Amino acid sequence: MSEPAVAPAILTIDVAALVDNWRLLARRAAPGDCAAVVKANGYGLGIETVAPPLYAAGCRAFFVAQIGEGKALRALLPQVDARIYVLNGLEAKADPLADYSAFHLAPAIGSAAELERWGAFARLQAKPPAAALHLDTGMNRLGFESLDALKAAAAAAGASGADLLMSHFVSSELPDDPLNALQIARFEAARAALPRLKTSLANSSGLFLPRLPAFDLGRPGYALYGGNPTPGRPNPMKTVVTLDVAIQQTRWIQAGETCGYNGQWTARRRTRLATLLAGYADGLPRGAGFVEARDGAEIEIAGRRCPLVGRMSMDLIIADVTDLPETAAQPGETARLFGGAVSLDEFAERSGTIGYTVLTGLSRRYARRVVGG
Ligand SMILES: *Cc1c(COP(=O)(O)O)cnc(C)c1O
């Protein structure tokens, strides 16, 4: 019998858990509908992996960041009832307007100049193409700077085709932040002034605020993929992404010896090390290793937690497996970096980053295994 080919690192994506997460978020968004934010290649999981099952589960509105992402998504979801919004709005330099109608993409328009351009284009179409109007209620990043600015621009350009009014939370993962209530109030005022438009405000964490902003369309991303929308509290979402990395070698070193580049980490006792086949070239955050005297992340090997030690290399990381029985953590076995005993959020936090960054950085080098489809 030939040995099965084993990839150095395997990323497992559980599509059934993804769909269950969308259903849970859709219940939170009810009586409104629930969209799916699938920008950045479905938060790194693969747009082709995440979008079709969400459509099959009943999701009919999708948000991407860029028009290129929208075109890729349209190829996967040709159905006319799959609405695709492009969050970044009309790009200032490129002239993609024909693409919006050819691919049935709806831009999130966020300035008078954009709306003027869009209005002129939309008037030439047989059927006005859909668009969202993006109101900035506090992020100071994208969108009309005030309701008055939005109303004036809409009066001048004609908001033909616009069917959705949207805004975005600054701090919805911090339920006590007073900005949440302020943004909701500003958005409610805009909704009252523009009653013809459907409304969309809440991202993942927004759907878990104590005072739920119940508008027409929830807009979660991170929580779909298993990230915790309620940091500091138990995660209501199912695990979607698991990362398993093979152990290549183990070795004993003496107390006082170091491991990894620049000898940054020193063994305080006789230590057994396991070298794993993934590193920062696989998109792992360098902070998951030992950086500036700060302990790295913990990972799971043979059902036990082990710290990462030494600096992370391009293709390798080192774990301290001294506390495991020597029969465990042998070459060919795997370490679970996150998605098991260690959650995505914990791994990210102990790496000095956030789970969003870990997901969107997941490299193409991993073997990807899709389960639950
Ligand atoms: C990314 C994004 C979302 C989704 O946010 P999550 O925190 O991932 O749920 C929603 N709306 C806008 C405008 C976004 O940019």
Side-chain angles (χ1 to χ4, degrees), residues 90 97 100 105 107 109 114-122 129-131 160:
L90 299 182
L97 294 190
Y100 281 96
L105 307 175
I109 291 171
E114 280 177 58
L115 187 55
E116 197 183 322
R117 243 180 104 206
W118 181 253
F121 169 74
S160 58

Side-chain angles (χ1 to χ4, degrees), residues 37 39 43 87 134 141 166-168 202-205 219-223 356:
V37 180
K39 61 196 180 190
Y43 285 52
L87 287 168
H134 187 168
R141 187 181 69 169
M166 61 164 283
S167 192
H168 191 37
N203 66 332
S204 298
S205 295
R219 223 172 51 233
Y222 187 53
Y356 292 73

Side-chain angles (χ1 to χ4, degrees), residues 47 64-75 86 91 96 99-100 103 105:
I47 185 93
V64 294
Q66 304 176 347
I67 187 162
E69 296 174 349
K71 287 156 86 172
L73 180 55
R74 181 55 77 198
V86 180
E91 289 154 36
D99 282 349
Y100 281 96
F103 292 86
L105 307 175

Side-chain angles (χ1 to χ4, degrees), residues 140-171:
N140 291 331
R141 187 181 69 169
L142 273 186
F144 287 92
E145 287 168 36
S146 68
L147 175 57
D148 286 344
L150 192 158
K151 285 198 300 197
S160 58
D163 61 350
L164 186 72
L165 175 70
M166 61 164 283
S167 192
H168 191 37
F169 277 120
V170 172
S171 300

Side-chain angles (χ1 to χ4, degrees), residues 1 7 68 76 81 93 151 154 166 180 192 218 221 232 247 265 287 293 325 361 370:
M1 266 195 2
L76 295 162
D81 63 346
K93 287 250 172 71
K151 285 198 300 197
M166 61 164 283
N180 291 321
I247 298 170
W265 182 86
V370 177

